[in-house]
Short mmCIF file of all heavy atoms in Angstrom, two decimals:
data_model
loop_
_atom_site.label_atom_id
_atom_site.label_comp_id
_atom_site.label_asym_id
_atom_site.label_seq_id
_atom_site.Cartn_x
_atom_site.Cartn_y
_atom_site.Cartn_z
N GLU C 115 -12.04 -16.26 -19.77
CA GLU C 115 -12.14 -14.99 -19.06
C GLU C 115 -13.39 -14.22 -19.46
O GLU C 115 -14.00 -13.52 -18.64
CB GLU C 115 -10.92 -14.12 -19.36
CG GLU C 115 -9.64 -14.66 -18.75
CD GLU C 115 -8.44 -13.87 -19.23
OE1 GLU C 115 -8.15 -12.84 -18.59
OE2 GLU C 115 -7.81 -14.27 -20.21
N LEU C 116 -13.75 -14.34 -20.73
CA LEU C 116 -14.89 -13.60 -21.21
C LEU C 116 -16.17 -14.00 -20.50
O LEU C 116 -17.04 -13.17 -20.24
CB LEU C 116 -15.05 -13.81 -22.72
CG LEU C 116 -13.92 -13.17 -23.52
CD1 LEU C 116 -14.10 -13.47 -25.00
CD2 LEU C 116 -13.90 -11.67 -23.28
N GLY C 117 -16.28 -15.27 -20.19
CA GLY C 117 -17.48 -15.74 -19.51
C GLY C 117 -17.66 -15.11 -18.14
O GLY C 117 -18.75 -15.12 -17.58
N ARG C 118 -16.60 -14.54 -17.60
CA ARG C 118 -16.69 -13.92 -16.27
C ARG C 118 -16.94 -12.43 -16.35
O ARG C 118 -17.15 -11.79 -15.33
CB ARG C 118 -15.37 -14.17 -15.52
CG ARG C 118 -15.14 -15.62 -15.16
CD ARG C 118 -14.00 -15.76 -14.21
NE ARG C 118 -12.71 -15.64 -14.85
CZ ARG C 118 -11.98 -16.66 -15.27
NH1 ARG C 118 -12.43 -17.89 -15.12
NH2 ARG C 118 -10.81 -16.47 -15.83
N GLU C 119 -16.83 -11.87 -17.54
CA GLU C 119 -16.98 -10.43 -17.66
C GLU C 119 -18.45 -10.03 -17.78
O GLU C 119 -19.33 -10.87 -17.87
CB GLU C 119 -16.18 -9.92 -18.86
CG GLU C 119 -14.70 -10.19 -18.75
CD GLU C 119 -14.05 -9.48 -17.56
OE1 GLU C 119 -14.46 -8.35 -17.25
OE2 GLU C 119 -13.13 -10.06 -16.94
N GLY C 120 -18.66 -8.76 -17.83
CA GLY C 120 -20.01 -8.21 -17.85
C GLY C 120 -20.73 -8.48 -19.16
O GLY C 120 -20.15 -8.98 -20.11
N PRO C 121 -22.01 -8.14 -19.22
CA PRO C 121 -22.83 -8.44 -20.40
C PRO C 121 -22.37 -7.72 -21.65
O PRO C 121 -22.47 -8.28 -22.75
CB PRO C 121 -24.23 -7.98 -19.99
CG PRO C 121 -24.05 -7.16 -18.76
CD PRO C 121 -22.77 -7.53 -18.14
N ALA C 122 -21.84 -6.53 -21.52
CA ALA C 122 -21.40 -5.80 -22.71
C ALA C 122 -20.35 -6.61 -23.46
O ALA C 122 -20.43 -6.80 -24.68
CB ALA C 122 -20.82 -4.43 -22.31
N ILE C 123 -19.39 -7.09 -22.72
CA ILE C 123 -18.32 -7.85 -23.34
C ILE C 123 -18.85 -9.15 -23.92
O ILE C 123 -18.53 -9.55 -25.04
CB ILE C 123 -17.20 -8.12 -22.31
CG1 ILE C 123 -16.53 -6.80 -21.94
CG2 ILE C 123 -16.20 -9.13 -22.82
CD1 ILE C 123 -15.44 -6.91 -20.91
N ARG C 124 -19.72 -9.80 -23.17
CA ARG C 124 -20.25 -11.07 -23.66
C ARG C 124 -21.08 -10.89 -24.92
O ARG C 124 -21.03 -11.72 -25.83
CB ARG C 124 -21.08 -11.75 -22.57
CG ARG C 124 -20.24 -12.08 -21.35
CD ARG C 124 -21.02 -12.79 -20.31
NE ARG C 124 -21.53 -14.05 -20.80
CZ ARG C 124 -21.81 -15.09 -20.05
NH1 ARG C 124 -21.63 -14.99 -18.74
NH2 ARG C 124 -22.29 -16.18 -20.56
N GLN C 125 -21.84 -9.82 -24.98
CA GLN C 125 -22.62 -9.54 -26.19
C GLN C 125 -21.70 -9.36 -27.38
O GLN C 125 -21.91 -9.96 -28.44
CB GLN C 125 -23.45 -8.25 -25.99
CG GLN C 125 -24.67 -8.43 -25.09
CD GLN C 125 -25.71 -9.35 -25.72
OE1 GLN C 125 -25.68 -9.62 -26.91
NE2 GLN C 125 -26.62 -9.86 -24.88
N ALA C 126 -20.70 -8.54 -27.20
CA ALA C 126 -19.77 -8.29 -28.29
C ALA C 126 -19.16 -9.60 -28.79
O ALA C 126 -19.03 -9.84 -29.99
CB ALA C 126 -18.66 -7.34 -27.82
N PHE C 127 -18.83 -10.43 -27.84
CA PHE C 127 -18.21 -11.69 -28.19
C PHE C 127 -19.18 -12.62 -28.91
O PHE C 127 -18.86 -13.21 -29.95
CB PHE C 127 -17.67 -12.35 -26.92
CG PHE C 127 -17.16 -13.72 -27.12
CD1 PHE C 127 -15.97 -13.94 -27.80
CD2 PHE C 127 -17.86 -14.80 -26.62
CE1 PHE C 127 -15.48 -15.22 -27.98
CE2 PHE C 127 -17.38 -16.09 -26.80
CZ PHE C 127 -16.19 -16.30 -27.48
#
Side-chain angles (χ1 to χ4, degrees):
Chain C
E115 291 173 86
L116 292 178
R118 292 191 283 264
E119 299 297 324
I123 293 179
R124 298 183 61 154
Q125 285 294 343
F127 173 71

